[in-house]
Amino acid sequence: MPMPAFEEYEPAGDCACRGCAERRRALARARAIPLRDGGHPAARGARRALVLATAAGVVLGGGGATAVALTAPATGPVALDDPGSPQGGRTPLHGPKGKQGSPGAPGRPGAVKRIDRTTIINRAKLWLDAQVPYSMSAYWTDGYRQDCSGYVSMAWNLGSNEWTGSLDKFATRITKDELLPGDMLLFHNPADPTNGSHVVLFGGWVDRTRTHYVAYEQTRPTTRKLATPYGYWANAAKYVPYRFNGVAGGVVPEAPGTVPAPPAGPKPGDAAKTFPGADKFAPGATNDHVAQLGRMLIERGAYRFYPKGVADRTWSDHDRLATQAFQRAQGWTGADADGVPGAHTWRLLVDKQGRNIPPTVGGAPGPGGVRAWPGASVFRPGQSHPAVEALGRQLVKKGFGKHYTSGPGARWGEADRRNVEAFQRAQGWRGAAANGYPGPETWRRLFA
């Protein structure tokens, strides 16, 4: 009797035979291991299994070959540089409990619904909050397939489940500099669609360096939101940016060093977006427009200018300095950056256009004693930066330093991450919001 032959085997993503189906399920179970490091790319390597097959077994089985998957136990986290996301093809939306719904056929690329960017991101967050499990064959309660392309189809509110080979038909190719929240980064491998093909939603740049962006994506084990290197962890050069043809609003960001062009006038009846007049921002003025301005400025990176981390209704130097910082971020100088909002400044803020206020890495605290967030790149394993030590001291000061055995120090490590995670959980955050890596809001609350 011949000796059994062992070989490494990866089943085809669309093969319907029993052996391949069992193999895919085994791989999915092996990969669905929660990340112990909060979703950081330091962990590498998804495990592969060995398949036992014998020539004699094929003969003795009476003509039907059965493949038995011997899955090695997965001892490490899922690798972020391998989305491992085989996907289904184009299908209609599905009804309750996986039953096919009424649409009957995939949508046409020309049949798109108008949708704004805020709605796209809010729809993406629905699966993030629900932690929808990854699957290339299951359908969520909204009728969309639980894989990467189904997720983008859902966020864009398409009338069908698309795949990486068809999503570009609903979109227009753009450049990296044109990316805005709600756009997608797509890698389709036509030669082997199940090998590397993946798509993510662009959620915005992490900082002004534009080396990392916030990616909303459907991958194993569940939906996630994560700071991601441009264009992705692997095959970065093959990820192409696209804009959904049905998106409403938003302009192409200006090239560095240019002044944004004056925007179109406000829509009739849109009171919240209408500039209220310069008199509302005079010294000592108290009104709701001052508070609205402060909230918009804080969202654009001006949190260090506000003593309590929030804006109030009375105009003060905090508002003037924050407004001036925003105006200078647009490249304006002189009288155009006097710290008093005009119609152009107001429109950029309410439409979330223009450039954010850059962080002052290593700079002195603002008027409220809040140091500027230094950016996500500082908090990577082995990175050394004065901001890491400042973060550690603040964690200890607020009672979240129990994981330090010495220090804190300037080199980012696991003790820092675990202390940050404890602080985030104390804020009531869960899931991706409490992954141990400080973002702007974590930073503001620590130093406020």
Side-chain angles (χ1 to χ4, degrees):
M1 180 175 180
M3 291 294 292
F6 290 83
E7 60 178 339
E8 192 171 11
Y9 171 69
E10 187 72 27
D14 57 355
C15 180
C17 79
R18 180 179 175 184
C20 283
E22 288 292 337
R23 170 71 171 140
R24 283 194 294 268
R25 283 194 287 270
L27 282 176
R29 288 192 294 270
R31 285 168 176 159
I33 304 298
L35 295 177
R36 292 194 294 269
D37 64 345
H40 197 272
R44 299 287 187 226
R47 275 43 177 184
R48 289 195 173 189
L50 292 177
V51 176
L52 174 62
T54 67
V58 174
V59 175
L60 296 174
T66 303
V68 181
L70 301 179
T71 305
T75 57
V78 178
L80 295 182
D81 58 357
D82 178 13
S85 303
Q87 57 185 316
R90 298 187 72 206
T91 62
L93 298 185
H94 279 227
K97 298 181 180 178
K99 295 181 180 179
Q100 186 166 302
S102 58
R108 293 179 296 104
V112 297
K113 303 174 185 177
R114 299 295 287 172
I115 189 171
D116 60 78
R117 297 185 181 281
T118 301
T119 302
I120 291 175
I121 297 301
N122 285 341
R123 287 175 66 86
K125 289 178 179 178
L126 293 175
W127 279 26
L128 183 67
D129 293 340
Q131 288 292 278
V132 176
Y134 179 87
S135 174
M136 60 179 285
S137 58
Y139 293 81
W140 196 237
T141 54
D142 52 18
Y144 291 95
R145 191 177 56 246
Q146 295 166 213
D147 59 12
C148 62
S149 47
Y151 182 50
V152 173
S153 300
M154 180 277 297
W156 283 359
N157 197 25
L158 300 181
S160 56
N161 285 287
E162 299 301 320
W163 73 304
T164 55
S166 63
L167 278 169
D168 63 324
K169 307 301 188 297
F170 293 80
T172 301
R173 186 167 178 170
I174 58 175
T175 67
K176 174 183 176 181
D177 289 337
E178 293 173 322
L179 277 166
L180 291 173
D183 296 334
M184 74 172 175
L185 285 162
L186 174 72
F187 167 38
H188 178 63
N189 182 5
D192 187 359
T194 65
N195 183 17
S197 295
H198 192 49
V199 62
V200 303
L201 280 172
F202 179 82
W205 295 109
V206 170
D207 55 38
R208 71 181 309 181
T209 65
R210 297 192 175 188
T211 59
H212 288 69
Y213 65 99
V214 175
Y216 290 86
E217 61 180 319
Q218 182 67 3
T219 187
R220 293 186 175 94
T222 61
T223 316
R224 75 180 179 198
K225 171 188 175 184
L226 190 67
T228 303
Y230 188 84
Y232 199 69
W233 302 100
N235 297 308
K238 297 181 180 180
Y239 278 77
V240 180
Y242 285 90
R243 175 159 300 154
F244 177 44
N245 291 333
V247 73
V251 298
V252 176
E254 300 77 16
T258 63
V259 178
K267 297 178 182 179
D270 193 355
K273 293 188 176 182
T274 303
F275 178 59
D279 60 306
K280 301 295 184 182
F281 308 103
T286 301
N287 55 76
D288 290 336
H289 300 293
V290 174
Q292 181 185 358
L293 174 74
R295 289 193 296 270
M296 292 189 296
L297 286 167
I298 289 172
E299 290 177 356
R300 303 300 294 275
Y303 50 86
R304 66 180 181 271
F305 293 99
Y306 289 86
K308 299 178 181 178
V310 295
D312 57 33
R313 300 178 67 252
T314 301
W315 178 262
S316 67
D317 279 343
H318 305 301
D319 302 292
R320 183 184 62 80
L321 291 170
T323 302
Q324 186 177 51
F326 178 75
Q327 291 168 334
R328 287 177 174 172
Q330 314 314 308
W332 305 344
T333 59
D336 293 328
D338 58 1
V340 178
H344 191 181
T345 300
W346 186 263
R347 173 54 71 176
L348 289 176
L349 287 168
V350 297
D351 281 347
K352 303 185 186 304
Q353 298 176 6
R355 291 187 287 274
N356 290 343
I357 298 170
T360 54
V361 180
V370 181
R371 293 185 178 273
W373 180 59
S377 61
V378 169
F379 309 106
R380 295 288 183 265
Q383 286 283 83
S384 291
H385 194 281
V388 175
E389 187 171 0
L391 170 78
R393 289 197 300 267
Q394 201 68 9
L395 285 165
V396 172
K397 180 179 177 181
K398 290 186 175 287
F400 294 92
K402 71 175 184 178
H403 295 292
Y404 289 126
T405 56
S406 62
R411 182 179 292 272
W412 176 261
E414 179 63 12
D416 300 291
R417 192 199 67 77
R418 294 178 68 186
N419 285 330
V420 172
E421 181 182 5
F423 175 78
Q424 291 169 332
R425 290 186 176 278
Q427 312 308 303
W429 304 340
R430 296 294 182 268
N435 62 5
Y437 295 95
E441 182 60 18
T442 299
W443 192 264
R444 185 188 69 76
R445 294 194 184 196
L446 271 171
F447 286 90

